[in-house]
Amino acid sequence: MLEGTGEHKSKSRSTEDSQHLQQEDQLNVMSKRDNHRSGTPAGVHSLALLLMELQPGADGPQILAADALYQLGRVEEAYRLLLSVGPTSPRAPILARLALLQLHRGFLYDTNQLLKKLIQCGDTSCLCPLLAVAQQKDRALLRGHCHSAAKRILEGTREESAVREAVAYLSIAIMASGGEAADSLLERARCYALLNQRKTAIFDFSAILKEHPKHVQALCGRGFTYLLLNQQQECTHDILAALQINTDMVTKDILSLKDKARKLVGDWLHQFCRTNLSDILVTNAVPCHEEQLREAFIIGGALMRTDCRDPRWHLLYVDILLAKGEVEAASVHLCQVFGQDPRDAVAQARVGVVEAWQQNYRSAARRLSKLTEKDPLSLDFLLALIPFSQRKRMAQAAAQEASSVSSAGQWDQALTLLTVAVQAVGSHRLQYLRQRAACLAQLGLHKQAIADLDRVIQKHGGSDPSCSDDPQVWAEDLCRRGRSLVLCSREGAALEDFTRALELHRDQAILCVEAGLGRLHLAECFLRGALQHYGEQQLSKAWTLIECGLTVDSENAELRRLRARVKREVASPCNVN
């Protein structure tokens, strides 16, 4: 983490240089051991002088001696000694020490030139052993100098070569701080993002957040980097965490993004907030507690500040207010943004929710019914924003209004109202499902009618007290479904329904048949079913359908002839069934 990009050992380094580095590492180990024994930098200096006599011309002992002189406060002697080591082409360990000594002496221009040469060498790792013995004051000076140099470079240009140079300076600053320079880590992470090294950037942002979990700029930086990687969940998590700490700062950062990125952040936050709000309404009845809605209010407010023209953000804010039970505030906001009588169906639906809270149930039902065509998936969510007791009354008003408009032949409008009634109370009132099934059948939408009647018939014979076990009601439901099944060309299933209805309540079933398919039509259906079973030699099933058909139409000659034929075959001693 502490080394910047490109800080690798130069391929052109000679074998001799490698040997010098190995010697330096060995001498550093020796110096630590001997310094521990002697307890003073003077002991290290004496050891270095001895090694210089044993290895004349070698860099290692002279570098060790220079480090000891620096610790003894003899900076000028250390500087002259280092100059004598590599006057023509100094190597990275010497450049690093010269830079630190020049910084200590106050020669900033020389320091910068030496650091540039060190960076060009491509090996700043040699700073690690030096910084281990450097004075705290000098380390702070080096950190500040390198951080400032990187900032100047980035202010001048954002070309790749300049950004890479800034990364090198920032890496030195981070090393000088012991890896705890949050500002330098932040700048380096941003540089890595500019260089498209996004995972490396995330590593630096995460390093900051490990020590400073509430660092807003690091959270935003990492969130926006996740955005570039198209990692929605991680991006949303970081930006939300930042918003909870400082909404103003994060809002400005979002506004600084390019249009496409800003729109994507808004969409992700909106999606997260909608899902979260839906989950809250599933497990909690309205009005919800303020603490449950805290995140939603933060996101809703931030979205409106990033783009006050987007109606989605205002609708979300209204929904949050309604979830909290602040009906008056929601009504005022709706009026301010969408007008007194909104034209848009989704805004009108919110007015309907407000009216349901205010016990204006018929108007609420009419407004919400317009959403069944525009945005049917949102209807369940909006109904959850109404307390259940008021939702039941609104469903009743919707069903009454549907009866009124259907009597005038306005079946389409009746259907939308009945959908509001059904979704408002679910299966608590099966009569609404029956009404909607009848409306769907009238419109020729028999598959949907069958689905509604399936829900009703499943309740018969069970323990649900909301469903009557009256055979007359049960038979009527079966006949209604049977009619739609016939019209969907599913005669086999339809005949099962009619047969069961005749068993439950013969008179009611006959009345339903007369009002629906008609006796003659249904008798023909029974005849076809009986002939099919007869052809398959399923005489018992054929006999049942014949009897039902004759119950419906006792004058049907074909059914009578078939019954006689089946009777003869059953009575014949050669019959095998």
Side-chain angles (χ1 to χ4, degrees), residues 537 572-577:
Q537 283 299 294
S572 171
C574 297
N575 179 59
V576 178
N577 187 10

Side-chain angles (χ1 to χ4, degrees), residues 243 246-256 301-302 305-306:
L243 281 168
N246 192 322
T247 305
D248 292 338
M249 185 185 296
V250 180
T251 303
K252 289 178 182 177
D253 283 350
I254 293 173
L255 287 169
S256 70
R305 290 172 63 182
T306 56

